[in-house]
Amino acid sequence: MTRDEFNAHCAAKPATTHVVQWGNADVWKVGGKVFAICGWADDAPAFTFKVTEMAFEILSDMPGLRPAPYLASRGMKWIQHHAAPGLNDTELAQHIDASYEMIAAKLPRKTRTALGL
C-alpha cells in the first residue's frame, strides 16, 4: 500500500478527519481519536493501527511488523507495519478498518450520534 492509497482508504471511512503532525505523519482520526497513522521508516511508509490483544500477540512476531513505537511502550495495543514482507494490501486495509471500528465503538454515544455513526 502506498501512502496515497492509505490516505484514500482512510478518507473513505465515515466521519474521519486528517491532520499532518509528528514529523510529517498522516494521522487519521474519528471523533478526535486516532485510528491510523502513516509515517516513515527507513524511507518507506510505516503504517500504524490499533489491534485487539490477540492480534497484538500474533502480529508482533511477524516479519515486517512490530509493536508501534511510543504507543505500544505505553501499554497500548498498536502495531506498526514497517518493512517487507509484513501484510499484503488487503490484510493491511482490513486491520485499518478494524482499528477504525474499535475506536469508533468506544466513542461516547452522543459523539457517535453527532457523527452519524
Side-chain angles (χ1 to χ4, degrees):
M1 181 179 288
T2 66
R3 193 170 184 153
D4 288 340
E5 290 168 337
F6 166 82
N7 284 327
H9 183 79
C10 292
K13 300 263 163 241
T16 59
T17 57
H18 172 255
V19 295
V20 177
Q21 59 190 75
W22 305 321
N24 200 32
D26 289 301
V27 180
W28 286 90
K29 302 178 181 184
V30 58
K33 303 291 184 185
V34 175
F35 73 91
I37 304 166
C38 180
W40 296 102
D42 301 324
D43 296 325
F47 306 101
T48 304
F49 47 89
K50 183 176 179 63
V51 294
T52 64
E53 287 190 35
M54 183 183 296
F56 184 81
E57 295 303 319
I58 294 166
L59 296 174
S60 293
D61 293 331
M62 290 180 62
L65 303 177
R66 64 183 173 200
Y70 182 79
L71 296 168
S73 68
R74 287 167 174 58
M76 296 182 238
K77 304 301 181 198
W78 286 71
I79 290 290
Q80 185 176 76
H81 174 288
H82 67 95
L87 302 167
N88 66 41
D89 289 356
T90 301
E91 293 168 328
L92 180 56
Q94 290 170 342
H95 281 289
I96 291 168
D97 293 347
S99 179
Y100 170 87
E101 294 297 331
M102 282 186 279
I103 298 299
K106 290 203 172 211
L107 294 172
R109 185 172 28 163
K110 184 176 180 180
T111 302
R112 287 193 316 266
T113 301
L115 294 173
L117 301 175

